[in-house]
Amino acid sequence: EAQVTQNPRYLITVTGKKLTVTCSQNMNHEYMSWYRQDPGLGLRQIYYSMNVEVTDKGDVPEGYKVSRKEKRNFPLILESPSPNQTSLYFCASSLLNSPYNEQFFGPGTRLTVL
Amino acid sequence: GENVEQHPSTLSVQEGDSAVIKCTYSDSASNYFPWYKQELGKRPQLIIDIRSNVGEKKDQRIAVTLNKTAKHFSLHITETQPEDSAVYFCALLGGATNKLIFGTGTLLAVQP
């Protein structure tokens, strides 16, 4: 089944404790992206990647890191989480040169930083 | 950078009525305009999209219209049903990038 997976789905942590949220897709998509969703603010892009070893900042990259060592994986790293990073996070992927450019979203990760 | 404004932020309609959500944008190079539906606790999913060379597209009870001159596009849902209740996001693909810019979302509540 074609899909985007994220782990963990729920995470409660404390300020300053490094964490990683994994994202994996099995559709051979070149493009992958991380969003955070907060009430009233919609979906804001954190980082995106056009292909392996190619990453770039989105609109709200502060406090986050990503890597793209393999085409299928795009982990999101919070080196020192803070309470303002409490949010719902979505990973998404798409073909880069498709005429439709539909983005497929993962199930989401609800992160709480105490 | 590119920006998209979405209105209204909340919309309540009676079952069977129509619902319209509108988005405006500024970058005339934008060429792809999708709409995503997010049910409570679920991931956003594409429901309909339109490209800049088309003025209207319809899929059963859902339609999207695009006015390139005025730089706005709208989602129309007819004969609304309770299962249409969700948050709807408009988005656009700007210029030469594959970067989707999302609106802030509209919470649609269909009252039975």
Side-chain angles (χ1 to χ4, degrees):
Chain A
E1 180 190 355
Q3 60 181 348
V4 180
T5 57
Q6 292 178 230
N7 282 292
R9 295 288 314 279
Y10 303 90
L11 180 60
I12 301 175
T13 189
V14 295
T15 298
K17 186 176 181 182
K18 181 179 178 180
L19 66 92
T20 299
V21 184
T22 65
C23 173
S24 184
Q25 50 91 10
N26 62 1
M27 296 171 278
N28 203 35
H29 286 168
E30 297 90 356
Y31 183 88
M32 297 186 75
S33 179
W34 276 103
Y35 298 90
R36 61 177 289 174
Q37 184 175 17
D38 303 289
L41 297 176
L43 289 155
R44 294 182 293 167
Q45 191 177 50
I46 303 170
Y47 268 95
Y48 64 98
S49 169
M50 296 274 197
N51 215 324
V52 176
E53 302 291 0
V54 180
T55 63
D56 210 344
K57 296 177 181 179
D59 299 315
V60 287
E62 294 78 20
Y64 305 94
K65 284 175 56 178
V66 292
S67 69
R68 187 89 182 275
K69 294 186 171 62
E70 307 161 287
K71 198 171 187 179
R72 64 183 295 129
N73 296 323
F74 190 45
L76 179 70
I77 303 153
L78 284 72
E79 294 270 5
S80 183
S82 62
N84 64 12
Q85 292 178 298
T86 292
S87 187
L88 178 59
Y89 291 87
F90 286 101
C91 179
S93 73
S94 71
L95 290 171
L96 194 57
N97 296 314
S98 161
Y100 302 107
N101 298 100
E102 177 181 356
Q103 289 204 5
F104 294 85
F105 284 81
T109 295
R110 186 165 293 281
L111 172 66
T112 301
V113 183
L114 301 175
Chain B
E2 178 56 82
N3 188 42
V4 56
E5 291 190 9
Q6 182 172 348
H7 297 282
S9 57
T10 60
L11 179 58
S12 181
V13 299
Q14 290 295 125
E15 183 176 357
D17 287 350
S18 295
V20 181
I21 303 169
K22 183 176 177 179
C23 288
T24 59
Y25 63 99
S26 55
D27 183 3
S28 57
S30 300
N31 55 19
Y32 174 66
F33 307 87
W35 286 88
Y36 284 79
K37 175 183 180 182
Q38 184 180 26
E39 296 177 357
L40 185 63
K42 302 282 183 64
R43 72 191 79 187
Q45 290 191 295
L46 180 72
I47 54 170
I48 195 168
D49 56 12
I50 193 168
R51 299 193 71 83
S52 58
N53 58 348
V54 175
E56 183 174 358
K57 183 176 178 181
K58 193 172 180 181
D59 182 4
Q60 299 182 340
R61 296 185 297 106
I62 293 172
V64 56
T65 58
L66 171 64
N67 185 325
K68 285 193 67 180
T69 304
K71 294 180 187 171
H72 63 74
F73 56 112
S74 300
L75 178 71
H76 305 254
I77 306 174
T78 58
E79 300 172 33
T80 53
Q81 302 167 3
E83 53 264 39
D84 294 329
S85 297
V87 177
Y88 292 81
F89 291 98
C90 65
L92 58 83
L93 195 68
T97 73
N98 204 41
K99 197 173 167 182
L100 269 185
I101 309 296
F102 285 89
T104 50
T106 296
L107 174 61
L108 173 64
V110 180
Q111 309 296 334

